[in-house]
Amino acid sequence: LLIILSNISKIGRLAFLNCKNLENITYLGSTEPNVDMFAFSRCKRLGVVFTKSTYLSKNFGHYRTVKLSTLKSKTNLFKLISF
């Protein structure tokens, strides 16, 4: 699990290279950051990016997004991710 805070505006080239166990990302911002197309290279398990309901884009880099209606607590977030 990787949580990216709303103040992040750019994710650079190879930033998360070979994060083999990274399956999900939660992005807490409302606008799509500048995500380099190679930022998550070789993250073979990464499939979805969870976003707040106010997120304005359908994509996060070249990954699809799933909107969470609320992020009340980390416990609720972990329940959603564990499916």
Side-chain angles (χ1 to χ4, degrees), residues 21-49:
N21 293 320
L22 180 60
E23 295 180 11
N24 302 294
I25 297 171
T26 298
Y27 178 62
L28 300 178
S30 295
T31 58
E32 184 174 4
N34 180 356
V35 180
D36 184 272
M37 66 184 281
F38 299 107
F40 297 97
S41 291
R42 299 184 188 153
C43 297
K44 296 182 185 211
R45 292 184 179 183
L46 181 57
V48 66
V49 177

Side-chain angles (χ1 to χ4, degrees), residues 55-70:
Y55 187 67
L56 301 175
S57 178
K58 293 182 181 179
N59 297 309
F60 183 90
H62 63 276
Y63 294 93
R64 87 181 162 90
T65 60
V66 173
K67 292 188 179 191
L68 299 172
S69 57
T70 59

